Amino acid sequence: MANNLDPHYLVALMNYQFRSGQDGSARRMDPPSHLTSGIVDHHGTNVRTLPILDALAHISVSQPNSQVIAIALQLKPDTKEIRLTIAENRDVADSLVNHLYNIWRKLQALSDEYAGQRKAEWDGEQMLSPVIPLDVALPLKMEIFREVYKFSLEKQKKRVNKWFRALCDFMEELEKRRVGVALEGFERNLSNAMVSLVLALKLVFKHSENQLTDDEWEQVYWYSMIANKDIKLVLADRHGLGCDALAQELNGDGDGDPFQLQRALEKLISLPRHIESLFGFAHSPRLRSALQYHLTICAVPGQAQIVILPTSQEQWKSLLEAACGQPGQCQRNDARKLFQRFGSRARKCPVHCECGLIQYLQTKHCDSWDNVPAFSYIGVSKLSCSACRVWIEAFNMLGGPKFYTRGSHGKWYWPWVMPTMGVGSLRENMAGMVLDEYLMQLEKKEQIKRAGSDSSGASPSGAEHGVSNTDEQSIRVEAAAAVQEAGGALSGLISDNVQFLHANVPHSEG
């Protein structure tokens, strides 16, 4: 049955079915046990490459809306060459390519600084990187931080606009609930992180043209890295359940869902977290070879295709009956709503970056990289949509190279289109897998019954790359002084600064 159905029609159906939420698929995937073509021939080391590729994709985002980046890695050890292939849902700007070259050069310099400190102390057999004082190459780390933050500033503004005010309200409510009681453990870490975030963001958005002095950028660095350290402790509490428990407690019997505390913290600290991953890359002796190779960056041209969905309510009804294998009143109602939702016009649909990147890697370009296998993990700036997740799974069924991303956010987007390589068995695999997910959704809603249907309901370790104890104590003293100046309570610091931040962070749609 699936062979006769257009997978794009089925993706549109899923977009309709999950128009108000996610499909419940796992947000994150465990690192695959069979990674291939990594930087070294060692699985444990290559797993450490996963967050590095995601970090490079993350720091490549500069636009506040609708920009997603995917990055692939290839190496030629014999000629000491490394290539990053980068894709967007549209053409890649030259400014992005130049930004990555700039950051890569600085990471090479940072790696050299670390290697000079390491000298002969590392024998190559130790699993963990040797400890190096945190103040080594500090000016260079601050320079990398500043360059990344400035490039991604507009995106950071959107994150602040979306999450910061609600987080402030949450923290003020927490302080009310704990009045007269000193915060301890998890909640103390959360409060400390909030103070550092307020002070960092106040500096970042102090000037409309972002003309911070070197001293001000240094303060942003310290506050951001301290906040990152505290938030890592918060997110690790009870393996991530601490945030959910606290949000549920503060929500009480209130209407609506609890505040998404974990998500807010992850979003607001995302830049420092990914920058720290890059510091770890430069620090690693096992991964150093990659930063000694000659880098080239290849930009994948954006792709789009015209898709015409069923052009009448009757055509939608016929499609639904073919998909379900049985007629019913629900198909007539859904057909009417589908036609109202999508209309009859042709849509120009983008090929999403991770799918376009895989197509590019599997296409011959008559150059020296044609026969160099890519690392099987693709770095992404954002979790893959469900259609891309299924397409990659369908591609991996073909028996050739396999690719993975860090997971899916469970949303079905429209417009969406397969790459032009999506023909034959790949197209059939895609259609069959999407159809199966569609029918499972109908079963859950008890709109159909299928005979014999069967429903079923990597964190790398190593050296620290944050701040030294001495620097941390100094920054915490400054943060405590700021709280005291605001009346001795977190709510006072928030009320003094949240209005300023709200006024200086432009509202961004989307």
Side-chain angles (χ1 to χ4, degrees), residues 119-357:
K119 296 181 180 177
E121 296 178 9
W122 188 69
D123 60 13
E125 298 298 323
Q126 305 168 44
M127 283 302 300
L128 299 182
S129 302
V131 175
I132 292 177
L134 289 166
D135 58 354
V136 169
L138 186 56
L140 183 53
K141 289 196 288 187
M142 288 184 179
E143 187 177 340
I144 293 170
F145 176 90
R146 183 175 65 247
E147 291 299 315
V148 169
Y149 212 116
K150 290 172 69 175
F151 184 82
S152 298
L153 182 61
E154 294 305 313
K155 184 64 176 181
Q156 182 70 351
K157 285 181 180 179
K158 183 182 178 182
R159 297 186 189 106
V160 172
N161 178 266
K162 182 173 181 179
W163 293 104
F164 191 70
R165 179 175 283 267
L167 178 59
C168 288
D169 292 342
F170 181 88
M171 294 304 298
E172 288 181 319
E173 179 63 22
L174 174 62
E175 191 172 71
K176 290 177 185 176
R177 298 285 186 98
R178 304 292 190 264
V179 63
V181 179
L183 298 180
E184 297 292 340
F186 161 85
E187 293 181 359
R188 184 177 180 180
N189 293 138
L190 179 58
S191 179
N192 288 341
M194 189 64 186
V195 173
S196 298
L197 275 175
V198 169
L199 297 175
L201 294 174
K202 180 181 179 181
L203 282 169
V204 169
F205 302 117
K206 177 180 178 181
H207 305 293
S208 59
E209 299 299 323
N210 194 236
Q211 296 174 341
L212 273 67
T213 65
D214 289 344
D215 288 343
E216 287 172 329
W217 272 116
E218 182 175 341
Q219 289 296 102
V220 173
Y221 172 85
W222 290 123
Y223 285 132
S224 297
M225 299 308 285
I226 291 293
N228 183 45
K229 180 175 182 178
D230 283 324
I231 287 175
K232 283 197 293 185
L233 294 173
V234 170
L235 297 178
D237 184 80
R238 286 167 279 178
H239 302 287
L241 297 178
C243 286
D244 292 342
L246 182 60
Q248 188 64 54
E249 177 195 342
L250 267 60
N251 191 55
D253 297 326
D255 295 333
D257 296 327
F259 176 61
Q260 293 178 280
L261 176 60
Q262 178 175 341
R263 187 159 176 77
L265 296 175
E266 288 174 342
K267 288 293 185 180
L268 290 170
I269 209 64
S270 58
L271 271 182
R273 176 168 57 89
H274 287 293
I275 292 169
E276 189 178 41
S277 291
L278 296 181
F279 291 166
F281 178 30
H283 184 280
S284 171
R286 289 186 181 275
L287 298 177
R288 175 164 163 73
S289 60
L291 286 166
Q292 293 179 298
Y293 289 180
H294 173 69
L295 173 72
T296 56
I297 298 176
C298 176
V300 177
Q303 291 185 54
Q305 300 174 42
I306 300 298
V307 175
I308 302 175
L309 294 176
T311 57
S312 69
Q313 182 174 325
E314 285 304 312
Q315 287 184 11
W316 275 113
K317 183 173 178 293
S318 297
L319 170 66
L320 292 171
E321 290 177 351
C324 299
Q326 53 188 271
Q329 182 60 36
C330 61
Q331 278 107 14
R332 182 174 297 279
N333 294 334
D334 282 345
R336 174 176 52 81
K337 294 176 181 177
L338 283 161
F339 185 63
Q340 290 174 346
R341 181 178 182 86
F342 297 112
S344 58
R345 64 190 177 93
R347 295 294 298 269
K348 186 176 182 180
C349 301
V351 173
H352 285 194
C353 55
E354 51 267 67
C355 300
L357 180 56

Side-chain angles (χ1 to χ4, degrees), residues 58-120:
H58 187 89
I59 69 165
S60 298
V61 177
S62 61
Q63 301 301 313
N65 301 311
S66 305
Q67 186 181 23
V68 187
I69 305 292
I71 292 182
L73 169 72
Q74 292 167 282
L75 294 115
K76 289 197 261 184
D78 53 337
T79 57
K80 297 187 181 302
E81 294 178 82
I82 184 170
R83 183 169 84 161
L84 297 179
T85 304
I86 182 167
E88 290 194 48
N89 294 355
R90 55 193 174 211
D91 288 337
V92 177
D94 291 342
S95 58
L96 170 52
V97 174
N98 293 334
H99 172 62
L100 283 177
Y101 274 126
N102 178 43
I103 296 302
W104 190 269
R105 285 191 294 268
K106 287 179 168 58
L107 290 174
Q108 287 177 316
L110 183 59
S111 177
D112 290 342
E113 293 258 15
Y114 282 138
Q117 285 284 326
R118 195 160 41 240
K119 296 181 180 177

